[in-house]
Each structure stands twice: as C-alpha cells, then as structure tokens.
Amino acid sequence: GENVEQHPSTLSVQEGDSAVIKCTYSDSASNYFPWYKQELGKGPQLIIDIRSNVGEKKDQRIAVTLNKTAKHFSLHITETQPEDSAVYFCAATIFGNEKLTFGTGTRLTIIP
Amino acid sequence: GAVVSQHPSRVICKSGTSVKIECRSLDFQATTMFWYRQFPKQSLMLMATSNEGSKATYEQGVEKDKFLINHASLTLSTLTVTSAHPEDSSFYICSARDGLNQPQHFGDGTRLSIL
C-alpha cells in the first residue's frame, strides 16, 4: 500500500518569511495529492491539491510543487502570517480511490 | 460550498455507554463518507468507509461490532461507539465527498471522553 512521509514534524518561522513542508510517497500509481490544514480542536480543511498531470499549482500565498520522478511534493507558504499557525497534513491517493494516505503532520508556528 | 457538519462536537460519558456521532453533508450529496480516528499529536487513521445504502467497509483492526456505521441517506452517516470504554476516548472525524473524483471534505470532529 501507499506510504507517505512528511518533514519536518515541527517548523517555526518568523512572520513574513516563507515556510516549506515536504512529503514523499511510495506508490508510483498515486496521482492526487491534497494538503490539509488543521487548527486546534478542528477538523482538517483542504487548502490546496494537485494532480499528477501538473508540476505546480498556486493559490495566492500557497503553492504546491510535485516531482513525479522523485515521488515527492511540497507545500510552500509565502509571506506567512500568525493565522497560518496550525498542523498541516499532506496526503496521497489514486484519484477515485476510496482511501487517502496521510503524512504524519507538521506543526507550523509563525513567530510574530 | 462542500460543508460537512459533525455533531456533537464534544461528549463526555460513563464507561459502558453507547455514543452516537452524526456526520452531515450540508450542501451536497455525499455518495461516500469516511470515519477517522485521531490520537493527540498524531495523524488521521481511517476506520471505515461507508457508501449510501450499503454496508461499511472497515479497516483492518477496527471492530465492526464496536463501531457501528450507518449511512442511511446521501447526507447523513452515523458512527455509534457501543459500550464505550476509556480506551475509546479519542477525536473522531468524518469526511465526505460528492463523487468518485472529488476531494474529501472534513467535519470539525467529535472529542469523545469516556470516564
């Protein structure tokens, strides 16, 4: 089955700087990679996703890049703000499949 | 759009009690709903997948008779933790999607505490 590794487990960034979270996956058949943001006591919220037919996707301050050959994908947050502080999870699956395989999560702290 | 509502948000009850958690898709029809369990500072672990009108598919190691799932309509799935014990205390989260090629959208979870 799919296995997703995520790094780092914790990340502290000065407000205004950029944050990068990296994930690797094992199943070359996976073709859909969503990113979720989870705030304390809440469920995960989808913030961006990418399919394997593109290498990069951007939505305002958030971008995701995908390297299919290396089987890794990354989340980039620019101009970080205090409200970006949360736990971020990457995930991988074959689009249309029932299951998402989640990474272990990254606790991002933005330092004012 | 794509709002998933989960109720209750928190429940505290005595050991041996059965607890029912509801998951509703508010603005779309959810052909498939998922139930996850999350321990503190850990990732989400899929418990089961439910499709409307059919039996749920449970992940390995998840007791079917312990965690009863019903998906009676396209907008409602329920998880009942039967005869709950302290080790069942956890954060339970549901998700739903409105089609085979659509992303999962999550509810805000239910914090279950068994005394």
Side-chain angles (χ1 to χ4, degrees), chain A residues 13-20 37 47-48 56-64 75-85 88 108 110:
Chain A
V13 173
Q14 205 73 33
E15 182 178 354
D17 288 350
S18 296
V20 180
K37 174 184 180 182
I47 56 172
I48 196 167
E56 184 175 358
K57 183 176 178 181
K58 189 173 181 180
D59 183 4
Q60 299 184 332
R61 297 186 296 110
I62 296 173
V64 56
L75 177 71
H76 304 254
I77 305 175
T78 58
E79 300 172 19
T80 53
Q81 301 168 2
E83 53 265 36
D84 294 330
S85 294
Y88 291 80
L108 175 64
I110 306 303

Side-chain angles (χ1 to χ4, degrees), chain A residues 36 38 95 97-99 103, chain B residues 34 38 43 97 101 104:
Chain A
Y36 289 88
Q38 187 177 27
F95 209 40
N97 196 353
E98 296 294 343
K99 303 180 187 179
Chain B
F34 304 86
Q38 187 178 32
S43 190
R97 65 182 188 192
N101 293 321
Q104 290 185 31

Side-chain angles (χ1 to χ4, degrees), chain B residues 6-106:
Chain B
Q6 196 170 333
H7 179 80
S9 58
R10 185 178 180 97
V11 58
I12 302 172
C13 57
K14 294 181 179 180
S15 185
T17 306
S18 292
V19 178
K20 180 184 283 188
I21 302 170
E22 292 187 349
C23 180
R24 293 180 185 273
S25 56
L26 297 186
D27 52 359
F28 65 99
Q29 292 186 327
T31 54
T32 306
M33 289 186 169
F34 304 86
W35 287 96
Y36 294 83
R37 185 172 180 176
Q38 187 178 32
F39 290 105
K41 297 185 179 181
Q42 293 192 21
S43 190
L44 287 81
M45 299 301 297
L46 180 66
M47 298 175 65
T49 302
S50 72
N51 292 294
E52 185 266 339
S54 62
K55 290 185 178 180
T57 302
Y58 289 81
E59 294 300 298
Q60 191 172 8
V62 178
E63 299 177 57
K64 300 178 183 181
D65 296 331
K66 177 74 171 177
F67 299 100
L68 300 178
I69 291 172
N70 183 279
H71 192 161
S73 77
L74 284 172
T75 59
L76 173 64
S77 177
T78 60
L79 167 67
T80 301
V81 184
T82 62
S83 186
H85 289 94
E87 57 266 28
D88 298 323
S89 298
S90 191
F91 194 50
Y92 293 87
I93 312 172
C94 72
S95 72
R97 65 182 188 192
D98 63 357
L100 197 59
N101 293 321
Q102 298 300 318
Q104 290 185 31
H105 297 276
F106 287 81

